Amino acid sequence: MALSASSSFLRGSTTSHDLKGFRSVRLLDKCLVPSVPGDSYLRTFLVKPVCAELKRSDSVVPLAATMVAPEVEDRIETEDYEKLAKEMGHASPLEIMDRALEKFGNDIAIAFSGAEDVALIEYAKLTSRPFRVFSLDTGRLNPETYQFFDTVEKHYGINIEYMLPDAVEVQALVRSKGLFSFYEDGHQECCRVRKVRPLRRALKGLRAWITGQRKDQSPGTRAEIPVVQVDPSFEGMDGGVGSLVKWNPVANVEGRDIWNFLQAMNVPVNSLHLQGYISIGCEPCTRPVLPGQHEREGRWWWEDAKAKECGLHKGNIRQEEVAQLNGNGNESAMDNDIFNSQNLVTLSRAGIENLAGLKNRREPWLVVLYAPWCRFCQAMEGSYVELAEKLAGSEVKVGKFRADGEQKAYAQQELQLGSFPTILLFPKHSASAVKYPSEKRDVDSLMAFVNALR
Ligand code: SF4
């Protein structure tokens, strides 16, 4: 149903009434002229993406900041995107795409992963507006995906603007941790280097981006995606919170409808789909799924299903679950913390030094030493916050101390930090802290520890 406008278009019944306010209807009709050889005609007359005019040797990254954008509206920052999302909640992907391209001109680009989000490129082509496409080449994609990029470029007559990771960062990662560290300590670090930072660089040259996120892709993290929103995680070229707009034209479309659309439009698809892959990412982190399995089960299958975002869409994860992007927290003002609760005391370095130095405390303290990017810390957040709620009003104080980055050495030397999370109880009448010895971090186990020692 969400594809109603484009479906009727496919049936040949699209009228100006169907797409009220949609300026490209007449041109769209030309897309289906059967006697015209599709590729060459489209490349010449319909699709004139900005990036198609680039030479391969051109630098594309600074381009976004320097090219003229004649159709961009002047007062983008005054737009109420929540209101717009509601207004466009039932619009077709084609209408949403058209609105996005019309509004942001050359300052917007489609993020293309090499999977079924090729539908976005097809929709963009159907608007007959110029459009840009970028993709993150992590260096770990399947050969089939690289082939597919080439096919898409030729099919649409575009040059995809590839964003590559920083070579020094990749080198440091693989030299220190090997090529498959994500199987050992989670995918966030590798994704941060190979995907998130290149994405951040790309988005800094834009004022808006277009994603292929759908609500049905990940029930845990994507259930509430609006068709347009102020990006909750990344900055655009103007800098600061709110400087980037994120369009999700297929948010309300179901996967099978995307496939029907691709088939009907004869759009090329990644050959991995024929091998059972649905969601496609990097080769070591993606696998085919069985019939009946959810597509996200084919991604980072060794990790907790709730945390299956690579960081590109971390705003989908609720605030208290976000901890994936910024490592030691020095990269961005939009860094997100965890263990956020009014019942928890955030201890500074001076605060925990004072606490640790007290010989006779007036009340016992339970403190978690954590790193917000650590998935084990993330996993225990719910139980720790619940514990803090239960202990609110009792004599036991519950706190947290962020012990990564420059605090790590101190925490290792003075606070028994081994790995994250480390939980310490500072008893009432003892100078020494007691380290929680168990891997069980449910509320009852933690409460038993507190009650035994307080
Ligand atoms: Fe690294 Fe896997 Fe993330 Fe790709 S998906 S960047 S290989 S962790």
Side-chain angles (χ1 to χ4, degrees), residues 48-55 60 63 67 106 131-134 157-161:
K48 200 139 175 72
V50 173
C51 48
E53 297 176 1
L54 297 177
K55 294 190 190 74
V60 292
L63 190 70
M67 290 190 75
N106 194 46
F131 63 91
R132 297 172 59 187
V133 179
F134 74 94
I158 60 174
N159 284 353
I160 297 171
E161 301 177 36

Side-chain angles (χ1 to χ4, degrees), residues 138 140 182 187 190-191 194-195 282 284-285 300:
T138 64
R140 302 297 294 265
F182 34 83
H187 71 275
C190 181
C191 278
R194 294 182 185 271
K195 288 184 172 178
C282 294
C285 301
W300 306 299

Side-chain angles (χ1 to χ4, degrees), residues 256-440:
R256 65 171 176 270
D257 289 329
I258 292 283
W259 281 101
N260 289 340
F261 174 69
L262 294 177
Q263 244 180 339
M265 301 304 288
N266 209 17
V267 172
V269 295
N270 192 322
S271 62
L272 287 172
H273 293 305
L274 301 175
Q275 301 171 36
Y277 289 78
I278 300 179
S279 179
I280 294 176
C282 294
E283 184 275 333
C285 301
T286 313
R287 65 179 182 180
V289 293
L290 297 168
Q293 273 188 303
H294 193 275
E295 64 183 79
R296 297 302 278 184
E297 291 182 57
R299 302 291 293 278
W300 306 299
W301 54 92
W302 63 95
E303 295 183 14
D304 171 22
K306 252 174 108 185
K308 286 185 182 181
E309 292 288 357
C310 55
L312 307 192
H313 304 294
K314 76 164 186 164
N316 296 340
I317 304 175
R318 283 179 295 129
Q319 186 70 10
E320 70 269 24
E321 295 169 333
V322 172
Q324 299 184 31
L325 281 184
N326 294 320
N328 62 10
N330 295 328
E331 290 181 23
S332 166
M334 291 186 288
D335 190 18
N336 290 288
D337 204 353
I338 55 174
F339 302 115
N340 296 314
S341 163
Q342 59 184 11
N343 301 312
L344 268 157
V345 179
T346 302
L347 292 165
S348 64
R349 168 73 175 268
I352 198 154
E353 279 178 338
N354 286 337
L355 181 63
L358 285 174
K359 299 242 179 301
N360 224 339
R361 294 177 198 89
R362 279 183 301 174
E363 63 270 301
W365 278 75
L366 185 74
V367 179
V368 61
L369 311 181
Y370 72 103
W373 44 263
C374 162
R375 65 192 173 102
F376 300 107
C377 299
Q378 295 162 22
M380 68 162 281
E381 182 179 27
S383 55
Y384 197 69
V385 168
E386 191 182 337
L387 180 74
E389 276 169 19
K390 286 193 172 185
L391 289 170
S394 77
E395 65 162 356
V396 182
K397 297 277 182 281
V398 182
K400 62 174 183 173
F401 175 64
R402 183 169 174 171
D404 62 337
E406 59 190 25
Q407 306 300 340
K408 192 168 179 184
Y410 160 74
Q412 286 171 327
Q413 283 162 20
E414 303 295 332
L415 299 173
Q416 308 174 54
L417 176 68
S419 57
F420 294 115
T422 291
I423 302 167
L424 299 176
L425 188 91
F426 295 85
K428 198 167 176 180
H429 297 299
S430 168
S432 327
V434 181
K435 185 172 174 176
Y436 181 62
S438 171
E439 296 291 305
K440 291 171 117 186

